[in-house]
Amino acid sequence: MYFKWKDEYATGIETIDAQHKQLLEIGARIFILAELDDGYDHYDEIMEVLGELKDYTQYHFGYEEQLMETNGYERYENQKFQHFFVIKKIEKFQSSDIDDRQKETIIGLAEFISDWIINHILKEDMQYREFFISRGIK
Ligand SMILES: [Fe+2]
Ligand SMILES: [Fe+2]
């Protein structure tokens, strides 16, 4: 399962780890929808989860960016760029005509989200760990 929390994802900053867990939890729900093979129309559920994903992702990015900006974190711009890219990608999924291609779309989305979240946490977010901790941010 792609979306199971692992200790290696922990930054040690409690609020951020809780937010990353929540993102993975939304991802897990997308994955469950992607795997359903019951012949029913899941369009409404897919759009609902997508909306939730976008809102929560925006909230989390805003939280991180605000911390970075107020503390003068040096990779703030890199983070902002990567965050911007993922929001655009989610918006693209929201505006694509997924009604006829539900299964492919949702599987594509689930893959993208799992890859992206885990990669970004491990490669980018992990780099602010020492910086934030040294400034007493928990
Ligand atoms: Fe980030
Ligand atoms: Fe993050």
Side-chain angles (χ1 to χ4, degrees):
M1 172 74 147
Y2 291 104
F3 297 99
K4 237 186 143 87
W5 175 260
K6 291 188 195 155
D7 287 343
E8 64 180 288
Y9 303 155
T11 62
I13 301 142
E14 261 175 65
T15 44
I16 286 177
D17 289 340
Q19 291 171 9
H20 286 159
K21 280 180 187 163
Q22 179 69 17
L23 281 177
L24 288 174
E25 194 273 318
I26 300 171
R29 276 191 278 134
I30 293 175
F31 194 70
I32 289 164
L33 281 176
E35 280 202 318
L36 281 180
D37 198 11
D38 58 4
Y40 288 103
D41 186 345
H42 295 288
Y43 183 78
D44 291 346
E45 288 157 88
I46 292 169
M47 293 318 280
E48 208 182 299
V49 185
L50 265 176
E52 194 183 330
L53 178 74
K54 191 184 154 200
D55 290 349
Y56 198 79
T57 306
Q58 265 174 330
Y59 163 73
H60 168 63
F61 290 167
Y63 184 88
E64 276 187 346
E65 287 170 16
Q66 209 250 323
L67 264 186
M68 291 174 199
E69 203 183 6
T70 47
N71 287 281
Y73 178 60
E74 60 167 359
R75 293 186 62 79
Y76 169 63
E77 292 296 331
N78 301 60
Q79 281 269 0
K80 246 178 49 174
F81 178 76
Q82 290 183 35
H83 291 166
F84 173 80
F85 167 79
V86 80
I87 293 292
K88 287 289 150 217
K89 189 91 182 180
I90 295 171
E91 282 172 351
K92 224 180 116 197
F93 272 112
Q94 281 181 312
S95 63
S96 65
D97 187 15
I98 67 170
D99 213 3
D100 319 325
R101 301 179 297 111
Q102 281 184 18
K103 194 123 190 119
E104 298 84 65
T105 303
I106 200 78
I107 287 173
L109 177 63
E111 283 173 352
F112 168 74
I113 295 302
S114 69
D115 283 358
W116 193 89
I117 296 176
I118 291 164
N119 244 297
H120 182 78
I121 292 174
L122 290 176
K123 296 199 178 125
E124 190 60 53
D125 287 351
M126 220 39 100
Q127 294 189 52
Y128 59 52
R129 187 195 156 102
E130 301 293 318
F131 178 84
F132 283 166
I133 289 172
S134 73
R135 276 162 179 74
I137 293 155
K138 290 185 228 166

